[in-house]
Amino acid sequence: MDLRDLFKPLDYSKFNVYHARSLLITTLGMFTISYNTTFVSIALHSLSKQFHIPVGSLLFDLLGTASLWTAVAGALFFGITANFKGRRSVYGYECLLLGIGSLLGAFAPNVYWLILTQMVFGVGIGGGIPLLPIVLSGFSKA
């Protein structure tokens, strides 16, 4: 059997609503992750001025890296949980954390709240790293 024969059903399938939905879901997940991690690094100095945080302080460093540190925990938690509960259902919770962390971060009244929302968002980022490719590949079988 030739490897190209395995992909023939995908090559000849027509684009439908199912494909559009999977493309939208996974693309928005990656866009949200990329946007937030890039935004924090670009806006870090402006945020330090707004919240009166000295550059190089522990709060400054934590604000810049909170989502990245908690992404490690999120990847471990969601990766292991997905093996037992199912990848698609766990991916929904991961997307929920991404949304909650982003939305609450937009209304952060102080730096501590912003760091907390970045940590919630980071757990969602970590869940997206192992689950996004798997969920997208599951959608591509349709």
Side-chain angles (χ1 to χ4, degrees), residues 53-129:
I53 306 167
V55 176
S57 67
L58 180 63
L59 277 178
F60 182 83
D61 294 341
L62 192 57
L63 180 59
T65 61
S67 62
L68 301 175
W69 286 108
T70 54
V72 174
L76 290 171
F77 174 75
F78 280 109
I80 292 169
T81 305
N83 286 333
F84 296 107
K85 298 289 185 183
R87 286 163 181 86
R88 285 188 187 180
S89 61
V90 172
Y91 180 70
Y93 291 111
E94 177 266 332
C95 287
L96 187 65
L97 283 178
L98 284 174
I100 289 171
S102 294
L103 189 62
L104 292 178
F107 300 106
N110 57 40
V111 69
Y112 302 107
W113 184 259
L114 187 58
I115 290 172
L116 180 66
T117 59
Q118 285 296 305
M119 292 173 77
V120 170
F121 186 80
V123 173
I125 289 174
I129 292 169

Side-chain angles (χ1 to χ4, degrees), residues 23-38:
L23 183 67
L24 180 70
I25 290 170
T26 54
T27 305
L28 283 177
M30 284 308 293
F31 172 76
T32 308
I33 291 168
S34 302
Y35 177 76
N36 195 331
T37 52
T38 304

